[in-house]
């Protein structure tokens, strides 16, 4: 494998975690209250349990307290709203994360909108997303924030570059498109109804895939020397974790690429830790 081409999200995330650990140590040394994240899990969706476990481990490693509240998937929307309201008013809790997806009978948007902006660690509430669009970046959703941090670390030029994003979700595609526009990239957003996808992806200086399908992005979809960011989390036919990109065949063609695992995933977690610390500080004042 050509290591020079690999965007090492694991390594960059460790640099961020070291900084977060140092800041939490300072808080501890000053005998102040330690930052607290509360995660709400509804039901026992297997992938959600894994993501929550990883977030909890990451918090504990940097010295942040993380508690997980688990409710049966029969919980009503009204009950859940009441729980979030209580957490909003609990001065001992800095950050609230509702693990998605929720059960069918619960309106996710309504639940997310119940989280107080000052505790919205995922950055999914309308005010935070509106600020992002306007270029005010106090707190950013974890995955787009992590991807932007990778661009910065590797000094990847965005100005004037054509960035093509596949996927228009509210948590990845749409916020990332705005961040890239604000960074003066030219942005094309593709989705399931896009016609002639390959014609568009082949124009990308930077291609970002957030689709959720293994080997969706093939070598023939990529321009020579493009930079490829793989957001997807999938399992291949051997049940191994993989991204959206046919990594092996794409690698020889690209300038740089994020692997899965070890690319965007660890950056999302590192961004979450930074966001907890940010909310801790604004909630202290
Ligand atoms: P989503 O599942 O909400 O939506 C997928 C997007 O892909 C949609 O916008 C859809 O229009 C598009 N799409 C589907 N089929 C397509 C096709 N044939 N052509 C073009 N576009 C198509 O998206 P999401 O929540 O952003 O998640 C996408 C993937 O990224 C998933 O695998 C998810 O697990 C992963 N993810 C990873 C991280 C991370 O930290 N690495 C964070 C968030 C999501």
């Amino acid at each position: 494998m050509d290591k020079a081409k690999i965007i090492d999200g694991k390594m960059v995330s460790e640099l961020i975690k070291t900084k977060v650990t140092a800041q939490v140590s300072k808080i501890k040394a000053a005998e102040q209250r330690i930052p607290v994240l509360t995660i709400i899990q509804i039901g026992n969706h297997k992938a959600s349990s894994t993501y929550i476990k990883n977030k909890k481990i990451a918090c504990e490693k940097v010295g942040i307290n993380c508690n997980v509240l688990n409710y049966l998937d029969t919980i009503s929307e009204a009950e859940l709203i009441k729980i979030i309201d209580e957490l909003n008013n609990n001065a001992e809790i800095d950050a609230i994360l509702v693990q998605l997806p929720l059960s069918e009978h619960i309106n996710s948007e309504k639940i997310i909108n119940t989280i107080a902006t000052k505790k919205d660690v995922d950055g999914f509430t309308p005010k935070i997303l509106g600020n992002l669009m306007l270029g005010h970046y106090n707190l950013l959703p974890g995955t787009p924030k992590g991807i932007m941090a990778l661009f910065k670390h590797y000094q990847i030029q965005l100005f004037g570059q054509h960035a093509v994003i596949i996927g228009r979700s509210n948590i990845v595609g749409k916020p990332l498109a705005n961040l890239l526009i604000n960074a003066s990239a030219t942005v094309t957003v593709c989705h399931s109804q896009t016609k002639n996808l390959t014609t568009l992806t082949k124009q990308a200086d930077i291609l970002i895939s957030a689709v959720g399908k293994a080997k969706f992005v093939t070598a023939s979809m990529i321009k020579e020397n493009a930079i490829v960011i793989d957001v997807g989390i999938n399992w291949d036919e051997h049940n191994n974790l993989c991204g959206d990109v046919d990594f092996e065949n794409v690698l020889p063609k690209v300038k740089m690429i994020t692997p899965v695992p070890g690319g965007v995933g660890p950056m999302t977690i590192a961004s979450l830790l930074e966001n907890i610390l940010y909310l801790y500080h604004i909630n202290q004042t």
Side-chain angles (χ1 to χ4, degrees):
M1 191 192 291
D2 187 349
K3 284 207 165 143
K5 287 184 173 185
I6 305 293
I7 298 177
D8 190 346
K10 180 99 183 72
M11 179 271 292
V12 181
S13 75
E14 291 302 332
L15 297 176
I16 295 171
K17 285 184 194 171
T18 303
K19 281 189 200 158
V20 173
T21 306
Q23 289 182 51
V24 177
S25 299
K26 263 193 197 167
I27 293 169
K28 283 185 181 165
E31 294 185 353
Q32 286 171 350
R33 185 179 64 75
I34 294 167
V36 178
L37 166 69
T38 294
I39 300 179
I40 298 178
Q41 179 176 20
I42 308 299
N44 55 5
H45 192 261
K46 198 173 157 225
S48 293
S49 298
T50 307
Y51 297 148
I52 290 172
K53 194 178 98 193
N54 291 342
K55 288 169 190 175
K56 190 168 163 62
I57 291 171
C59 283
E60 283 161 0
K61 273 199 177 153
V62 298
I64 289 173
N65 286 343
C66 173
N67 48 65
V68 180
L69 305 178
N70 205 318
Y71 299 98
L72 294 175
D73 52 15
T74 48
I75 191 171
S76 72
E77 198 175 275
E79 282 171 304
L80 190 50
I81 288 174
K82 191 163 168 268
I83 290 161
I84 295 171
D85 272 337
E86 280 165 13
L87 296 173
N88 283 339
N89 293 315
N90 184 340
E92 302 284 302
I93 289 162
D94 304 292
I96 303 168
L97 187 157
V98 178
Q99 186 66 45
L100 301 174
L102 297 175
S103 320
E104 293 264 307
H105 68 283
I106 296 175
N107 180 336
S108 303
E109 205 173 312
K110 203 167 163 190
I111 294 302
I112 296 300
N113 291 353
T114 307
I115 302 171
T117 309
K118 65 177 183 180
K119 299 201 177 187
D120 175 19
V121 73
D122 267 334
F124 295 163
T125 50
K127 190 166 177 197
I128 293 179
L129 289 175
N131 276 336
L132 182 160
M133 201 186 92
L134 297 170
H136 306 313
Y137 304 151
N138 292 327
L139 183 143
L140 294 174
T143 304
K145 178 181 166 89
I147 294 170
M148 294 304 280
L150 286 178
F151 290 142
K152 190 168 177 209
H153 181 90
Y154 283 93
Q155 298 179 334
I156 292 169
Q157 189 191 330
L158 301 174
F159 190 95
Q161 299 296 292
H162 187 187
V164 176
I165 302 171
I166 320 176
R168 58 173 161 182
S169 73
N170 291 337
I171 65 171
V172 185
K174 284 186 206 164
L176 186 61
N178 283 283
L179 291 171
L180 289 168
I181 291 167
N182 293 344
S184 295
T186 302
V187 180
T188 302
V189 180
C190 306
H191 47 78
S192 54
Q193 306 308 314
T194 298
K195 288 179 186 154
N196 304 321
L197 183 65
T198 299
T199 313
L200 296 165
T201 59
K202 280 201 92 137
Q203 293 172 33
D205 301 310
I206 301 170
L207 179 66
I208 299 126
S209 182
V211 175
K213 290 180 186 165
K215 298 202 175 151
F216 181 81
V217 177
T218 58
S220 63
M221 293 168 73
I222 290 171
K223 182 167 84 171
E224 202 76 45
N225 260 337
I227 291 168
V228 177
I229 306 293
D230 190 350
V231 184
I233 301 179
N234 313 297
W235 280 264
D236 67 13
E237 65 274 22
H238 309 293
N239 216 19
N240 292 322
L241 182 65
C242 68
D244 287 348
V245 178
D246 180 5
F247 187 85
E248 218 171 280
N249 293 315
V250 163
L251 185 65
K253 227 176 158 181
V254 297
K255 188 171 177 192
M256 296 187 94
I257 185 166
T258 58
V260 179
V264 174
M267 291 302 293
T268 300
I269 300 252
S271 301
L272 171 76
L273 300 174
E274 288 186 308
N275 282 353
I276 298 167
L277 213 49
Y278 170 77
L279 294 178
Y280 172 81
H281 287 301
I282 61 163
N283 284 319
Q284 290 288 89
T285 51

